Amino acid sequence: MGNTLKEMHDVQGALQCYTRAIQINPAFADAHSNLASVHKDSGNIPEAIQSYRTALKLKPDFPDAYCNLAHCLQIVCDWTDYSGRMKKIVSIVADQLDKNRLPSVHPHHSMLYPLSHEFRKAIAGRHAQLCLEKIQVLHKPLYRFSPNLAPDGRIRIGYVSSDFGNHPTSHLMQSIPGVHNRARVEIFCYSLSPDDGTTFRQKVSRETEHFIDLSAIQCNGKAADRIYQDGIHVLVNMNGYTKGARNEIFALRPAPIQAMWLGYPGTSGASFMDYIITDKQTSPVSLAHQYSEQLAFLPNTFFIGDHMRMFPHLKERIIMADSSNPGEQVKDNVAVINAVDIDPLKDVANVTQVIMEGKHRDEAVKANVTVAELSTTSGINSMILNGQLQTSVNGVNIQNGLATQINAKAATGEEVPGEIMVTTRQQYMLPDDAVVFCNFNQLYKIDPATLKMWVNILNRVPNSVMWLLRFPQVGETNIHVAAQQMGLKNGKLIFSNVAAKEEHVRRGQLADVCLDTPLCNGHTTGMDVLWAGTPMVTLPGETLASRVASSQLCTLELNELVAKSREDFENIAVKLGNDTDYRRAIRAKVWEGRLNSPLFDVRLYAKDLEDLFYKMWEKFRKGEKTSHIIH
């Protein structure tokens, strides 16, 4: 009964059922494990850990409970006997694959553990097999496809996602359907989730040529029929094995070409997915064996962000300066003002252009920065100190950047804030004079080897701090303890709360350098921090999830921030920390590159996607076998 309620997303009902089962039989290990899973899905990680441990005490040989416990410990950075745990996960998976069982490690978590590429692909493959088994009961005949295009000569593209709404995937791609060239392609967006009432959902449904809500069609067979009737040529899977996916639709093959794109950072392991849309840096052909799909390359990074449209107020940043301290060296990321319209500011401040100059390979790199010199900043400082929402400077309203409750839709990124906003290090307890390294990822992406690199960097850069998020809060203490054991001096780690989207992106301007997590990179968070003008150092591994940040940096032509080893990662970060000239030059390159490189260019990206879809179609039309599209 509890399992049924859990399937129906009745969390309270499921909790009551499992708790009752435990009351009746306290030694029932499965009930403890099921209860733990409900806690885990609800974000109550400490309770989940406790219940999984109880289940394992009652039934030591319980792979599902063990692997779920391991994932919970990863979420909160509890690294007790880390290497022993990793070895055990690998041996559990090996045994389960050997016996042809569904592995206890979920495909989306497989990149966190030292599994072979074959194992990762096989884990995904078992989940794909489940989808094929589920659709067999429908006894549907195979769909037949014509090698001809629609009468108007356009290719029909179907984007399938449960994330057309307030979700990182929409934050990245919400403008794509609307900017596609309607003379070349006919776009269908199939939503697997109901309308969440956000402007993200409205934008996609309004701007795409056809928007179909498949959440109303619960039967996968009927949903696939609808897609087939629409005559889709290329069907795009944006979920993979993430929450809300309905891969059974793809297993029914309602389109002649099916491709993975953007929403899932790995292979589907599925015979029914033809291509994975990626790029030569993220998925080099030398690593093609880890994918079940054929590689389809975009010319730049396969990643995209809608930041230019969502956060235009961050295109320019105005450095706040106090004219009563004339000799003070202006830093570009201690106190920053952002606004779409800065004209009102000109009435109360002396607004000037300053050139920030840095040295890069004996070359001067320049970036224009705007400085607003106020006769006094005391009003703004006291607003921040006292936690006031806003203040008036000679009749001009300036909003505290922390006061995101003033406009809920601006906070989520659904609207562009109209206010003049001030963001300062003081708001986040960051020292004004320190070199601030940051990482805004969920803490599960950190492993002991990553933290050790960060500790070494912080110890080699005097007066530096590392800015992290309580993501989740229970991880904070574990990170502090682990870092101390690794020899980090006290006070060098500063944690902030998770913020709403707009504040999260805007506050990235206060950091000097972002240190990426090699195990699983910042993907959306990488784009967020780069849009804020903050450079990122990364170390690519072999998995797709570990190579995305390097692909973003290569598109910005900042290959020198892509490390070749752990030692190299530390050296790059230390150079950025200690060499002010170099740091300024690299920051200037990021600042210019945001607007001038293809990284945030949605229109160019849409055109490149169309070219790729045409290449896929051409192969199918000629009756060729699917193969890599890498030129």
Side-chain angles (χ1 to χ4, degrees), residues 125 127-132 135 237 241 247-253 255-260 268-275 292-293:
H127 282 258
Q129 193 54 43
L130 262 188
C131 296
L132 289 166
I135 60 159
N237 185 338
Y241 298 110
N247 291 309
E248 295 80 5
I249 293 171
F250 288 87
L252 286 160
R253 269 209 169 271
I257 301 160
Q258 302 194 148
M260 300 287 288
S268 66
S271 56
F272 48 81
M273 294 308 304
D274 304 305
Y275 296 100
S292 59
E293 305 86 355

Side-chain angles (χ1 to χ4, degrees), residues 74-373:
Q74 186 84 19
I75 289 169
V76 299
C77 303
D78 180 334
W79 299 329
T80 317
D81 189 23
Y82 191 80
S83 62
R85 194 195 307 163
M86 294 300 123
K87 285 193 186 88
K88 180 149 183 186
I89 288 169
V90 174
S91 78
I92 286 174
V93 170
D95 183 56
Q96 290 174 323
L97 289 173
D98 190 45
K99 291 175 177 156
N100 210 14
R101 291 188 185 147
L102 186 71
S104 300
V105 169
H106 189 272
H108 199 189
H109 305 155
S110 65
M111 83 281 278
L112 302 175
Y113 310 123
L115 299 160
S116 67
H117 296 314
E118 286 315 306
F119 276 14
R120 286 196 190 98
K121 190 160 66 173
I123 290 169
R126 290 290 189 279
H127 282 258
Q129 193 54 43
L130 262 188
C131 296
L132 289 166
E133 286 163 19
K134 278 186 193 166
I135 60 159
Q136 273 167 3
V137 298
L138 298 171
H139 301 296
K140 283 180 77 69
L142 294 176
Y143 296 113
R144 299 167 68 95
F145 306 108
S146 155
N148 303 318
L149 285 177
D152 62 6
R154 296 191 294 169
I155 290 189
R156 290 180 177 160
I157 309 300
Y159 291 109
V160 182
S161 176
S162 67
D163 302 324
F164 296 130
N166 188 10
H167 185 279
T169 299
S170 278
H171 303 166
L172 298 172
M173 57 63 64
Q174 60 170 348
S175 286
I176 300 283
V179 299
H180 270 306
N181 180 352
R182 289 197 178 189
R184 299 182 81 197
V185 290
E186 188 175 356
I187 300 296
F188 296 72
C189 285
Y190 297 99
S191 176
L192 304 178
S193 60
D195 190 344
D196 66 352
T198 62
T199 55
F200 301 113
R201 172 65 162 231
Q202 286 162 20
K203 181 179 170 65
V204 175
S205 60
R206 186 180 66 244
E207 293 180 5
T208 188
E209 206 165 333
H210 309 276
F211 188 88
I212 300 97
D213 186 351
L214 287 184
S215 70
I217 307 174
Q218 282 300 302
C219 168
N220 291 316
K222 290 200 172 87
D225 285 343
R226 171 64 208 256
I227 291 167
Y228 179 68
Q229 283 153 15
D230 286 335
I232 299 299
H233 300 112
V234 183
L235 193 64
V236 181
N237 185 338
M238 292 168 58
N239 270 92
Y241 298 110
T242 59
K243 196 176 166 190
R246 283 172 66 182
N247 291 309
E248 295 80 5
I249 293 171
F250 288 87
L252 286 160
R253 269 209 169 271
I257 301 160
Q258 302 194 148
M260 300 287 288
W261 177 60
L262 196 66
Y264 181 72
T267 184
S268 66
S271 56
F272 48 81
M273 294 308 304
D274 304 305
Y275 296 100
I276 182 166
I277 296 171
T278 180
D279 61 75
K280 67 176 190 288
Q281 175 61 30
T282 303
S283 311
V285 176
S286 59
L287 295 174
H289 59 279
Q290 64 178 281
Y291 301 95
S292 59
E293 305 86 355
Q294 300 299 311
L295 304 176
F297 285 177
L298 285 167
N300 302 299
T301 179
F302 82 95
F303 226 74
I304 188 61
D306 202 31
H307 297 64
M308 190 107 55
R309 205 199 60 83
M310 279 175 75
F311 311 112
H313 59 302
L314 305 184
K315 274 188 194 173
E316 193 177 351
R317 63 165 164 234
I318 297 151
I319 300 165
M320 191 171 86
D322 192 331
S323 59
S324 56
N325 291 341
E328 200 177 36
Q329 170 71 41
V330 175
K331 276 193 79 176
D332 68 340
N333 58 357
V334 170
V336 181
I337 297 172
N338 299 103
V340 177
D341 177 15
I342 65 159
D343 280 347
L345 206 56
K346 292 173 180 168
D347 298 335
V348 295
N350 178 24
V351 177
T352 54
Q353 285 281 320
V354 172
I355 292 172
M356 298 291 259
E357 196 173 312
K359 268 247 183 333
H360 181 250
R361 299 189 181 131
D362 295 331
E363 226 178 277
V365 181
K366 298 174 184 179
N368 283 332
V369 178
T370 309
V371 176
E373 208 172 48

Side-chain angles (χ1 to χ4, degrees), residues 573-597:
V574 168
K575 185 179 181 187
L576 282 164
N578 288 334
D579 184 338
T580 313
D581 254 0
Y582 180 63
R583 181 169 71 246
R584 217 180 264 150
I586 293 294
R587 286 177 62 81
K589 285 184 86 165
V590 174
W591 190 248
E592 297 300 309
R594 300 172 319 144
L595 303 178
N596 302 333
S597 82

Side-chain angles (χ1 to χ4, degrees), residues 3 30 49 54 71 164 192 269 319 346 383 456 488 495 533 602 619:
N3 292 350
D30 289 56
I49 289 171
T54 307
H71 189 239
F164 296 130
L192 304 178
I319 300 165
K346 292 173 180 168
M383 166 184 75
N456 293 346
L488 185 67
F495 280 82
V602 171
K619 270 185 192 293

